[in-house]
Amino acid sequence: MAQTGKEVADRPPPGQTTQPEENETPGEIEGLDEEKDEVSELRPSQFNAAMDLSAAAYSPFSKYRGSIASTEGFEHNLHVLAKDQYPGRAMGIFTSGGDAQGMNPAVRAVVRMGIYLGCKVYFIHEGYQGLVDGGNSIRQATWASVSGILDDGGTIIGSARCKEFRERPGRLRAAKNLIEHGINNIVCIGGDGSLTGANLFRKEWDSLLKELVETKEITQEDADKYKHLNIVGLVGSIDNDFCGTDMTIGADSALHRVMEAVDCITTTASSHQRCFVMEVMGRHCGYLALVTALGSDADWVFMPEAPPDPGWEDQLCNKLKTTREMGQRLNIIVLAEGAIDTEGKPITSDGVRQLITDRLKYDTRVTILGHVQRGGCPSAFDRVLGTRMGTEAVLALMEATATSQPVVIALSGNQTVRVPLMHCVEKTLAVAQAMEAKRFKEAQELRGRSFKGNLETYIRLSKLRPKLFSNKQQSFNLAVLNIGAPACGVNAAVRSIIRYGLCEGHKMYAIFDGFEGLINNQVKSLDWMAVNGWSSVGGSLLGCQKTSAAKIGLGKIAAKIREHNFHALLIIGGYEAYTSVIQMYEARNKHPELQIPLICIPATISNNVPGTEFSIGADTALNEIVRICDKIKQSAQGSKRRIFVIETMGGYCGYLATLAALASGADQAYIYEEPFTIKDLIDDVDHLRKKMEGHLKRGLLLRNEMANEHYSTDFITKLLQEEGKGVFSARSNVLGHMQQGGLPTPFDRAFATKMGCKAVTYAVSLIEKVATPDGKVVCNTPESAVVLGLLKRQSEFTPVEILKPKTDLEHRMPLEQWWLKLRPLLRILAKHESVYIGDFVESGVDEVDQ
């Protein structure tokens, strides 16, 4: 999925001070040194709790805002849903407020899951205006009415402002229109204003029905039959500004648009040595600006929650001047449209341009992205997010009772959760109130620990030169290398590791071409500017080899570690990196030089490394596959009825095939983890024949490259071609190494950046605990050979000693994989007979940070 994931340390990194620095970036946060030594004093086994990093389901950009009541653990209480389980019920769905990419996948999921359960589902066109107008604005949806909309931006049912609904007479008309259609279940997709309106409507429902009975516009029988109105909200907002959910529908897609623009502008800016001021949306929330700056190596970021200190004009100009003197050919400044200074005065893109032009005489241009950010196809993440949220919205409505409170379907870690609607709205409004009162530190806190963590990480990694944040007496040698196949985002991880380590006062080394490079002395000490601009580059600038440590020779590697006096190895890579850490850990007694922190940071498009639910590079590969599937489906529109069989990478792991199928609306995904027989293939042929005999002209099947030894892509294509004679034709497409190429997605850039920072912090904490005054380091505990991964709601350092028994060593993947529970949903939405295992966690008692 697009991919779920999160974050760097929510608390400040150990040892950070708050002394102002010349040429500092904006948004300095005071008091960050209060807990500076806490982490380093913890036992390694306690580190995960100390660093408590909540993980966003598909994105490291999650932002817990304040405390929202929620109960974990209900995902194990899974329920089975049968076809036509809730016959005779009716529900309406509408989109309101600003549009956002990903709304259509949510609409599709609501319609198809509702029909699957036996409900009537109605489109309410043009938002609240359609509720008030009634008539043709409320129309019953069919299975086919949502066909082919997964890759459409915006919303097919329209969105409009409605003054009438703000007054009671308008809501009275809306209630009458719903009763006439037998609707008392509503899914509202919108922002906090839209959800607040829905909650008010629900509160007034009883009195509205009474008034309609009194005026004889409805019967008492109808009033009794529909006496309860159930409301479920989904948050659609590109600003990601709603409390209670890690990610809102549309935010990831908007980041894709922004990052694409930044990447394009970077090339022209470098050619002419220009400075660009990029204005992005975010009137009241700086999320887009902050994550864009974090993933694009921007020189400066302006946003509402963190206004620059007085005198920022001098600091900005000094920094830009210094970067040019150091050889940098371009400068990028990211500015949220709602950026202000500490007095609340607007900071405009034109004002910043004029400042730079007047003082530095640089050729400076302004680019205002505007509504480009709302347009285009939804990202793979938003398609899966909208699909999961829409599905759970239907389940929440079906399970609602007379006493149920309205809920929002949200994302917490890698789980869909139900949180109280108005509690979330109140928390969101509290941010605006803090901003209005110029309590900016409070606003940052309300945005959440990870928002603040994003800001702190950006500040550290965007400096011109490292400044020691700690009072450490010792400096250690940390080395980073890349093992395995290429994966987009690796360079961003290397950049963050190098710069974060330099900030901590350590000497940072890069090992080129993996373990082979280490043996051949391809080792180089990197300084601050050596990794400038790396975040946006695909592939691996360090070079990567799939040769494991054991194959190279553990004795040779140990000798080179001793020769270079490395105190820790940070290994970025896929399954080979994971197994190399296991091999070195098990050889420690024979080779004492390997008794140093060994940290594996998973980076592979296959997403098959145990100890993590998401790997660096998988999101980029998933988006590449989905884009290609969109083009293939488009090509079929102008041809006769045709089925396409697409082969994806992944080894034996079916993650890419399954998530790409869910995001592209495929009919089936064949994977190794779910064995299939010739009978299953024949059933799929029958399903496709029935589908093609209708109005649909295309079908899509995905197959993982190692799904079955005998039922190859070619075999399945020929089977379809033969059995579909007279009804449809079949074609195949093997995507190959296109899945490893491209530029890293916003997720992979930010994810890699945060994982790199966290790995350095953890390694240093281990070293400091055992280092002797002469610099000797001996780490021989299980906690010193780990995989850094995202598991449910937080990042974890899991010892490989624990992970090895949970690994299918023959097929190179974990024994348990979270995404398998989504496979029934894939078949339901493709109109197969299937059963869906709900993956919601109900809100309730325990308080966690949202």
Side-chain angles (χ1 to χ4, degrees), residues 235-268:
V235 188
S237 169
I238 68 167
D239 291 332
N240 205 29
D241 57 354
F242 191 80
C243 295
T245 183
D246 291 347
M247 286 291 285
T248 58
I249 295 171
D252 186 67
S253 298
L255 277 172
H256 274 253
R257 301 294 93 77
V258 175
M259 207 67 80
E260 288 163 4
V262 172
D263 289 342
C264 290
I265 282 176
T266 296
T267 58
T268 182

Side-chain angles (χ1 to χ4, degrees), residues 564-622:
H564 294 283
N565 193 29
F566 291 147
H567 298 113
L569 279 184
L570 308 182
I571 306 173
I572 306 169
Y575 192 83
E576 292 81 5
Y578 164 68
T579 55
S580 292
V581 171
I582 294 177
Q583 293 161 2
M584 289 189 286
Y585 171 69
E586 293 176 344
R588 279 178 165 177
N589 290 336
K590 185 176 180 180
H591 304 290
E593 296 87 352
L594 301 177
Q595 296 177 11
I596 58 175
L598 304 170
I599 302 176
C600 172
I601 304 175
T604 169
I605 70 168
S606 301
N607 197 31
N608 64 334
V609 177
T612 187
E613 294 178 351
F614 300 97
S615 301
I616 296 169
D619 184 67
T620 302
L622 186 59

Side-chain angles (χ1 to χ4, degrees), residues 213-224:
V213 171
E214 291 171 358
T215 58
K216 299 184 178 180
E217 295 189 63
I218 65 171
T219 65
Q220 184 62 51
E221 182 181 357
D222 283 339
D224 292 339

Side-chain angles (χ1 to χ4, degrees), residues 526-678:
L526 297 186
D527 60 21
W528 193 264
M529 291 301 294
V531 292
N532 192 56
W534 280 32
S535 291
S536 60
V537 181
S540 174
L541 294 174
L542 289 186
C544 54
Q545 300 292 336
K546 299 183 72 172
T547 312
S548 68
K551 191 169 183 179
I552 289 294
L554 295 170
K556 295 178 181 179
I557 291 174
K560 289 298 179 180
I561 290 175
R562 180 176 64 250
E563 177 183 333
H564 294 283
N565 193 29
F566 291 147
H567 298 113
L569 279 184
L570 308 182
I571 306 173
I572 306 169
Y575 192 83
E576 292 81 5
Y578 164 68
T579 55
S580 292
V581 171
I582 294 177
Q583 293 161 2
M584 289 189 286
Y585 171 69
E586 293 176 344
R588 279 178 165 177
N589 290 336
K590 185 176 180 180
H591 304 290
E593 296 87 352
L594 301 177
Q595 296 177 11
I596 58 175
L598 304 170
I599 302 176
C600 172
I601 304 175
T604 169
I605 70 168
S606 301
N607 197 31
N608 64 334
V609 177
T612 187
E613 294 178 351
F614 300 97
S615 301
I616 296 169
D619 184 67
T620 302
L622 186 59
N623 276 276
E624 290 294 326
I625 296 170
V626 170
R627 274 194 287 267
I628 294 170
C629 287
D630 288 346
K631 293 177 181 178
I632 289 174
K633 288 191 298 181
Q634 187 180 47
S635 74
Q637 290 178 344
S639 62
K640 297 179 180 180
R641 303 179 192 277
R642 180 165 290 170
I643 307 296
F644 285 93
V645 183
I646 311 298
E647 182 180 304
T648 67
M649 282 183 167
Y652 286 98
C653 180
Y655 172 83
L656 285 179
T658 297
L659 273 294
L662 195 60
S664 60
D667 296 275
Q668 179 60 289
Y670 300 112
I671 62 172
Y672 174 82
E673 294 92 338
E674 192 173 278
F676 56 95
T677 65
I678 189 65

Side-chain angles (χ1 to χ4, degrees), residues 3-21:
Q3 320 276 315
T4 31
K6 182 171 169 179
E7 281 312 317
V8 293
D10 296 316
R11 67 177 70 250
Q16 178 161 337
T17 65
T18 58
Q19 311 216 341
E21 177 181 16

